[in-house]
Amino acid sequence: MNTSRSKPPYLRLPALTLAAVLCACHGDVTPPTDEPVPITDDSGECIDPPRYTEDVSTCTPLATDYQPRVAGSAQDSWTVCISDDNIYHRLYTSISTIGRVAAFDFIADSLWRKKKVPTVEDFTQARLRYTESEGLGSRVERREDIHYPAAPAACNSSASIPADFPERCVGPAKLRPLINESFASGMRGETPRVNAARIEAALLWFLYVSPLSEVVSCTTKDADCDSAWAYYTGGTPRGEAVGLARYVRELAPETHERAYDATLAVRCWRDLDRANPATQFELRDRARSQLDAALLRGMAVIVRQRFQELTCTSGEAREARWAFLKVLVPLMAREARLRDEARADTLERQVQRAHPEEVDVPAAVVALDALFACP
């Protein structure tokens, strides 16, 4: 006698029929898809922007560096000075440069920082702030890059000097025309995010060269040491960064700390060298070199971030990053070529591409990380 029990009806169904029955029991089931998770929002911005984590654990200060955060400078090669308490002590109460950095932040809030498309009115108000008497624009017009040999006359002394010496006369020869053209285009309502990005890049270039220029001019005008500090910090303590310092601190905190150390080195030099004009050029140049190394690293990290954002932006948002990089990568070229010509070539090739989609972002990032590894 067959004592086995009969199988329930659903166990005798073919597999496909069973699957249909089960699906019917549980309602409609959406089949899996292979569509990628979106990385760009409706405005073309990154949904989850790349995040850079700074690691400079293998970097060590030079023997000539000023280190106020380490035992109040007691373990470095510098003589005891006013900056050893890790605070910048102003030479003068009033520092006009602070207002110029505040103008930069106003322009940033108006044109790019608030993640909105700037309007014609935004460009108009930003340009009014830029062109204030003795304001930010007045200093762009005469800014010189002290990395290059001096011109035979001041860069703002005649129209021919900037044309003949564009690298030294970076303000009137390169930055001013670009900024003016971008403001005019933005005020006509043309590609607002692209024009905002060009202005941003040009002003960051200005904020990089300005502290270094002020260190040199502090040789004969001690108030310019205050300006060197303020052009980087906006006149703020370490932890309250504005202007360029805000950019650097948000991406690379230790690089920011090193840059702030260097501004204190400048003040230390002028405390130890109170002659007018100053006489201790070797000490001055130690402070300036320390500041330059940190600022270059800061600029490289900013550029690095914009390269990475090319991978998750689209439309005008991507074109804005591309415009930013085409302005600012040439700033890095001089020092990059001194350090490693092959990597400098790799970096420069990226901004010579016809379209941002053609950029080799990993190659650019690797080159930047190798060229500017330490502050």
Side-chain angles (χ1 to χ4, degrees):
M1 185 175 81
N2 186 356
T3 59
S4 63
R5 292 178 293 176
S6 298
K7 293 182 180 180
Y10 66 82
L11 293 180
R12 294 196 300 266
L13 294 173
L16 290 176
T17 306
L18 175 60
V21 169
L22 292 175
C23 288
C25 293
H26 295 284
D28 294 337
V29 176
T30 302
T33 66
D34 294 328
E35 294 182 8
V37 176
I39 60 173
T40 305
D41 65 19
D42 291 342
S43 68
E45 293 290 343
C46 302
I47 292 176
D48 186 16
R51 290 175 173 82
Y52 173 66
T53 301
E54 182 178 43
D55 181 6
V56 290
S57 57
T58 60
C59 300
T60 56
L62 299 177
T64 55
D65 283 351
Y66 179 66
Q67 301 179 62
R69 291 177 293 144
V70 180
S73 181
Q75 298 176 14
D76 61 36
S77 59
W78 287 65
T79 303
V80 173
C81 72
I82 194 171
S83 300
D84 291 349
D85 62 358
N86 198 26
I87 296 172
Y88 188 88
H89 297 274
R90 301 181 183 200
L91 284 140
Y92 297 94
T93 303
S94 177
I95 305 175
S96 59
T97 298
I98 292 174
R100 298 183 190 107
V101 176
F104 169 83
D105 277 338
F106 175 87
I107 295 168
D109 286 339
S110 300
L111 300 186
W112 62 83
R113 187 172 285 159
K114 292 184 177 180
K115 302 298 183 185
K116 68 180 183 68
V117 178
T119 65
V120 168
E121 180 63 15
D122 290 331
F123 276 97
T124 301
Q125 293 303 316
R127 186 178 183 279
L128 286 173
R129 189 66 181 270
Y130 173 75
T131 56
E132 288 176 335
S133 177
E134 295 301 313
L136 185 57
S138 71
R139 295 311 187 264
V140 171
E141 290 180 358
R142 68 192 199 193
R143 181 57 66 211
E144 300 185 19
D145 187 342
I146 52 86
H147 294 101
Y148 296 93
C155 287
N156 62 343
S157 61
S158 72
S160 63
I161 294 294
D164 293 339
F165 301 91
E167 302 297 341
R168 175 72 183 206
C169 301
V170 64
K174 296 184 178 183
L175 303 182
R176 179 180 62 185
L178 175 61
I179 292 170
N180 288 345
E181 176 188 338
S182 298
F183 268 126
S185 181
M187 291 166 65
R188 293 192 297 267
E190 301 166 350
T191 55
R193 287 199 276 190
V194 169
N195 282 304
R198 290 190 180 119
I199 293 168
E200 180 187 14
L203 290 179
L204 287 174
W205 188 330
F206 167 79
L207 290 175
Y208 160 71
V209 296
S210 291
L212 305 171
S213 178
E214 298 291 335
V215 172
V216 174
S217 59
C218 185
T219 304
T220 55
K221 184 182 177 184
D222 61 358
D224 286 357
C225 281
D226 282 348
S227 290
W229 168 69
Y231 267 122
Y232 176 65
T233 68
T236 59
R238 285 182 185 271
E240 302 173 18
V242 300
L244 175 57
R246 174 177 173 176
Y247 280 74
V248 179
R249 184 170 183 260
E250 287 179 351
L251 290 170
E254 180 57 23
T255 297
H256 164 67
E257 297 291 350
R258 292 279 294 150
Y260 209 102
D261 289 348
T263 65
L264 297 187
V266 173
R267 181 66 182 92
C268 184
W269 154 60
R270 215 52 176 102
D271 182 48
L272 299 173
D273 184 5
R274 300 186 183 187
N276 191 22
T279 59
Q280 297 185 35
F281 302 138
E282 187 271 339
L283 198 62
R284 177 200 67 187
D285 292 345
R286 282 168 58 180
R288 179 171 59 84
S289 295
Q290 183 177 342
L291 181 58
D292 197 4
L295 291 180
L296 274 169
R297 159 78 177 166
M299 299 302 287
V301 172
I302 294 168
V303 168
R304 183 189 198 278
Q305 180 70 14
R306 299 306 168 91
F307 266 117
Q308 290 203 302
E309 289 172 2
L310 288 177
T311 65
C312 57
T313 50
S314 64
E316 194 182 343
R318 177 182 284 173
E319 292 295 331
R321 268 66 172 194
W322 182 230
F324 180 97
L325 290 167
K326 292 180 81 171
V327 172
L328 212 51
V329 166
L331 163 66
M332 318 302 297
R334 177 196 57 81
E335 184 66 22
R337 198 154 294 286
L338 290 173
R339 297 183 182 191
D340 188 320
E341 288 204 6
R343 287 194 168 101
D345 287 341
T346 297
L347 191 59
E348 289 185 51
R349 274 198 300 270
Q350 306 316 313
V351 293
Q352 294 169 355
R353 310 288 189 192
H355 305 286
E357 294 81 5
E358 300 173 2
V359 173
D360 187 341
V361 172
V365 168
V366 167
L368 282 166
D369 288 349
L371 286 164
F372 303 99
C374 295

